[in-house]
Amino acid sequence: MKRIIITLCICTAWAASAYAQYPYTLKKCLEEGLANNYSIRITRNEEQISHNNATLANAGYLPTVDLSAGYTGTLDNTDTKTRSTGATASERSIYDQTLKAGLDVNWTLFDGFNISTTYKKLQELERQGETNTRITLEDFIAGLTAEYYNYVQQEIRLKNFLYAVSLSKERLRIVEERYHIGNFSRLDYQQAKVDFNADSAQYMKQQELVVTSRITLNELMAVQEVNRPLRVNDSIITVNDDLNYDELWESTLKTNANLLKAGQNTTLAQLDYRQVLSRNYPYVKLNAGYGYTFNKYETNATRQRSNWGLNGGITVGINLWDGNRRREKRNASLQIRNSQLEKEQLELGLKADLSNLWQAYRNNLRLLNLERQNLVAARENHEIAKERYLLGDLSGIEMREAQKSLLDAEERILSAEYNTKVCEISLLQLSGRITKYLE
């Protein structure tokens, strides 16, 4: 028994000294996580890619400029027979050479509004990249905030179990003293010892849960030393009980990130449809260049020749039929309708989720008020039981029941606080207001 007590004291002292090194608030955890979390960094890089792609050149507005050079050599054997005399002249290993170099410019001036539509699509994809980053950030803030308060919950539960151990220890001390003077039986002593060991074991298991939550929190913050000691400033779970359903729903319709992304998907589908329609218009392409050509002949009357100068041209055309346009147009039209339906479905799902979370939130608030009253009654009951137990008017089993009732009341109120907080976090995330935890 003494060994168990010493172990518990050492573990508690080690935990207290280790945690004291790292006082963290929720805001500090979020700021560190937002700067280091791998998922966020990856999403931000993807957002930067979509930003880099939204350029006039990528859309096709700008001309292309090519510098090229080439060399060609031909090695021929020639037999020439004249018609008048019938004589045959033979030439062997004739090596003619051609050298070309030039600068070419190609520019699509008009492509049936396809270029402007492509540019708008790239800009919309850039905005969607920002929305994707926002979704990742909000998911991260909600996840880390929930884990932060889970860590607070686990530490509070650890303190409750430590208090239970102290109560069992005091009861064991009383029973042991009275057992030696004959006031209590060996059965009372053994039962007190069993209860103390059970509470000690529960305390040790809770220590493991605290460590697990701490590791998860460090992992979310992308701390390389995931087992780093961590102490949070919050010692209680404070819930916000003044949320308003109508305000939450109005905010959801205006700022929910997934709803915004659904609207962007509709815009992209409409731009795809316009790209198909652009093929009904003619195209105008401009080309120009400056080149140099050098020819060297081995048997020609002209030994060598050089040409240099400008060249240019314009091409106007229209695609009359390609066999796919009508199919692509129908599919693009259906995609627009699908994106609209997906947005409506998402909006309905958000309303259902908000209603369910609101119901759970309000119910947990009522439950929390009830459990607070129960906790007061349980504490009074435990104090009365303790006094009667010291006077010998209460059995060990009855004292244990009073102690268990107190611990159960503390556990229920802790669970109600955490469940209410989780509902609050989910409601703020749905309504696009989750970043308030950064304030």
Side-chain angles (χ1 to χ4, degrees), residues 19-282:
Y19 296 164
Q21 300 175 16
Y22 299 93
Y24 266 78
T25 62
L26 173 60
K27 183 179 179 181
K28 187 174 181 181
C29 289
L30 289 172
E31 289 174 346
E32 184 171 330
L34 289 172
N36 301 326
N37 182 267
Y38 289 103
S39 296
I40 293 176
R41 289 158 65 183
I42 292 171
T43 305
R44 282 176 174 158
N45 287 338
E46 292 173 348
E47 178 189 350
Q48 185 61 42
I49 291 173
S50 64
H51 173 73
N52 294 340
N53 288 337
T55 62
L56 294 173
N58 195 30
Y61 268 112
L62 303 182
T64 60
V65 181
D66 297 317
L67 178 63
S68 61
Y71 172 81
T72 304
T74 60
L75 183 62
D76 296 321
N77 296 316
T78 305
D79 290 329
T80 304
K81 186 176 183 179
T82 58
R83 187 182 298 275
S84 58
T85 63
T88 300
S90 298
E91 296 176 342
R92 297 291 183 265
S93 301
I94 303 170
Y95 187 55
D96 294 334
Q97 304 173 65
T98 302
L99 174 66
K100 293 183 179 181
L103 186 69
D104 298 310
V105 178
N106 294 280
W107 193 1
T108 301
L109 300 178
F110 180 74
D111 195 16
F113 305 106
N114 180 61
I115 296 176
S116 61
T117 302
T118 300
Y119 186 56
K120 291 178 181 178
K121 185 176 179 180
L122 291 173
Q123 289 178 314
E124 192 64 29
L125 288 171
E126 179 183 16
R127 285 188 284 271
Q128 191 171 81
E130 296 171 356
T131 304
N132 287 334
T133 300
R134 180 185 160 189
I135 291 173
T136 302
L137 290 176
E138 291 183 353
D139 288 343
F140 171 78
I141 293 173
L144 188 141
T145 303
E147 188 57 45
Y148 176 89
Y149 283 108
N150 178 53
Y151 184 57
V152 174
Q153 174 190 221
Q154 299 300 341
E155 286 204 315
I156 295 173
R157 188 173 285 121
L158 183 66
K159 293 176 182 177
N160 291 341
F161 287 152
L162 182 59
Y163 177 62
V165 171
S166 67
L167 292 178
S168 298
K169 178 184 175 183
E170 177 64 15
R171 177 186 161 204
L172 180 60
R173 183 189 65 80
I174 295 171
V175 172
E176 188 175 13
E177 290 178 355
R178 294 190 176 183
Y179 167 68
H180 289 305
I181 63 176
N183 286 349
F184 279 128
S185 66
R186 182 170 179 80
L187 178 62
D188 292 326
Y189 173 71
Q190 290 295 105
Q191 185 61 50
K193 189 174 182 180
V194 168
D195 292 339
F196 171 74
N197 290 339
D199 290 340
S200 300
Q202 196 170 27
Y203 176 77
M204 291 179 180
K205 290 179 181 178
Q206 183 58 32
Q207 283 184 313
E208 181 181 345
L209 294 178
V210 170
V211 172
T212 300
S213 180
R214 187 182 73 225
I215 291 174
T216 302
L217 204 54
N218 283 328
E219 182 185 11
L220 286 171
M221 291 187 288
V223 177
Q224 295 301 318
E225 182 54 48
V226 293
N227 202 28
R228 176 189 67 172
L230 184 68
R231 180 179 66 83
V232 297
N233 282 351
D234 293 277
S235 58
I236 59 174
I237 300 176
T238 305
V239 298
N240 182 3
D241 60 355
D242 61 353
L243 297 179
N244 182 275
Y245 178 84
D246 293 331
E247 292 178 358
L248 289 170
W249 177 238
E250 183 180 356
S251 180
T252 299
L253 292 176
K254 290 181 179 179
T255 61
N256 180 270
N258 287 296
L259 205 56
L260 291 175
K261 184 177 179 180
Q264 291 166 349
N265 286 334
T266 300
T267 302
L268 289 171
Q270 292 170 344
L271 291 173
D272 286 338
Y273 182 78
R274 289 178 59 182
Q275 280 186 316
V276 176
L277 293 182
S278 68
R279 288 153 63 182
N280 295 328
Y281 294 88

Side-chain angles (χ1 to χ4, degrees), residues 138 141-142 145 425-426 428-429 432-438:
E138 291 183 353
I141 293 173
T145 303
I425 293 169
S426 299
L428 292 177
Q429 183 181 11
R433 296 160 57 182
I434 193 70
T435 52
K436 74 179 292 292
Y437 291 115
L438 287 169

Side-chain angles (χ1 to χ4, degrees), residues 236-241 364-380 409-410 412-414 416-418 420:
I236 59 174
I237 300 176
T238 305
V239 298
N240 182 3
D241 60 355
N364 277 302
L365 281 177
R366 290 190 291 268
L367 185 62
L368 184 57
N369 291 329
L370 179 62
E371 292 299 343
R372 284 171 178 166
Q373 298 174 17
N374 288 340
L375 181 60
V376 173
R379 284 174 177 169
E380 292 179 355
E410 291 174 339
R412 289 195 304 271
I413 195 171
L414 182 58
E417 287 174 342
Y418 179 70
T420 306

